[in-house]
Amino acid sequence: MPKLTFFNLPENKRKVLIDAAENEFARVPLYEASIANIVKSAGIPRGSFYQYFENKDDLYFYLLDEKLKEGKEHFLTMLKVHNGDIIEAVIDMHHNFLIMMPDEEEENFIKNALLYATHKVENSFRYMIDSTQDQDHFKKMLELVNKKLVNVRKDTVLVPVLQIIAAIAFHNLIDKLSRKLSDEEAIKHFRVQMELIKNGIYQK
């Protein structure tokens, strides 16, 4: 997480630093990214960077989590739209994630995150669906799930189900990028995978 000094910056100065970081992380994956390039683009001394962040990983995961935060809220919306149907909500959310990248830089940022993914990167993506570490959000999600659809009677049993779904969604994104699948091909594969999950947990 950023240090308090970062949040105390005027909004325009925060934006300049964030824009510079996004440009660098869209250009190259995290392990190749350069703090020197970020501070040069932002027009700040290198020492100032360390007043705001511990290191480039700290900045990177702050940006990634901020980008994915909207996905968590969108999942709640999709649960409402699909009357608590987890599988249809996930498919709809996944489809929107594939086709609604705002611009090329955003898309490149996400591509670099996925193609050079670490366990920590996977966790960030997984929490869009499996938000068990955010208890308030998780409680809201459970309240929206239609329990009549699933063969699951305890909320705790839903946790591994969500973890499996989140892992499949994450690896579907990687598969799409590594195999250069179209959005339509990727979502078709994902729907087949979700149907298998549905057959296992839904009431007959």
Side-chain angles (χ1 to χ4, degrees), residues 160-192:
V161 173
L162 290 167
Q163 290 172 341
I164 291 169
I165 291 172
I168 292 172
F170 177 73
H171 288 285
N172 180 268
L173 291 172
I174 293 177
D175 191 48
K176 170 188 165 30
L177 294 174
S178 60
R179 294 172 58 199
K180 298 181 179 179
L181 301 177
S182 67
D183 292 339
E184 292 74 19
E185 288 174 313
I187 200 64
K188 181 180 178 180
H189 291 173
F190 186 64
R191 181 171 279 280
V192 169

Side-chain angles (χ1 to χ4, degrees), residues 16-192:
V16 168
L17 178 53
I18 291 303
D19 287 348
E22 287 183 339
N23 288 338
E24 181 67 2
F25 294 131
R27 185 183 70 84
V28 292
L30 172 60
Y31 74 94
E32 290 183 12
S34 163
I35 291 176
N37 287 343
I38 294 171
V39 298
K40 181 179 179 180
S41 179
I44 63 171
R46 189 181 181 97
S48 295
F49 177 90
Y50 292 104
Q51 292 178 3
Y52 308 139
F53 297 93
E54 290 292 336
N55 47 44
K56 69 177 180 181
D57 288 48
D58 192 25
L59 170 56
Y60 177 82
F61 283 103
Y62 168 70
L63 291 179
L64 181 60
D65 289 344
E66 285 296 301
K67 289 180 182 298
L68 299 178
K69 189 181 292 182
E70 186 177 335
K72 286 170 61 176
E73 296 306 314
H74 186 63
F75 185 42
L76 296 182
T77 301
M78 289 300 97
L79 278 171
K80 293 175 185 175
V81 168
H82 293 284
N83 300 312
D85 187 322
I86 300 174
I87 299 299
E88 291 304 318
V90 169
I91 291 172
D92 207 342
M93 183 182 117
H94 195 65
H95 181 261
N96 286 340
F97 188 83
L98 285 173
I99 66 173
M100 293 184 70
M101 294 289 183
D103 54 39
E104 185 177 353
E105 183 177 289
E106 180 101 6
E107 185 175 358
N108 287 336
F109 183 103
I110 297 298
K111 279 182 179 179
N112 282 336
L114 290 166
L115 289 176
Y116 300 92
T118 62
H119 180 66
K120 193 171 179 181
V121 169
E122 181 173 359
N123 281 344
S124 292
F125 278 88
R126 183 164 56 85
Y127 292 147
M128 285 196 291
I129 299 169
D130 168 26
S131 58
T132 46
Q133 290 193 6
D134 181 346
Q135 287 301 307
D136 288 341
H137 186 272
F138 189 60
K139 184 178 178 181
K140 291 178 184 176
M141 185 192 67
L142 291 178
E143 289 172 352
L144 292 171
V145 171
N146 186 344
K147 308 294 197 311
K148 294 178 181 179
L149 292 176
V150 296
N151 294 318
V152 175
R153 291 293 170 260
K154 293 182 179 180
D155 290 343
T156 53
V157 183
L158 274 175
V159 173
V161 173
L162 290 167
Q163 290 172 341
I164 291 169
I165 291 172
I168 292 172
F170 177 73
H171 288 285
N172 180 268
L173 291 172
I174 293 177
D175 191 48
K176 170 188 165 30
L177 294 174
S178 60
R179 294 172 58 199
K180 298 181 179 179
L181 301 177
S182 67
D183 292 339
E184 292 74 19
E185 288 174 313
I187 200 64
K188 181 180 178 180
H189 291 173
F190 186 64
R191 181 171 279 280
V192 169

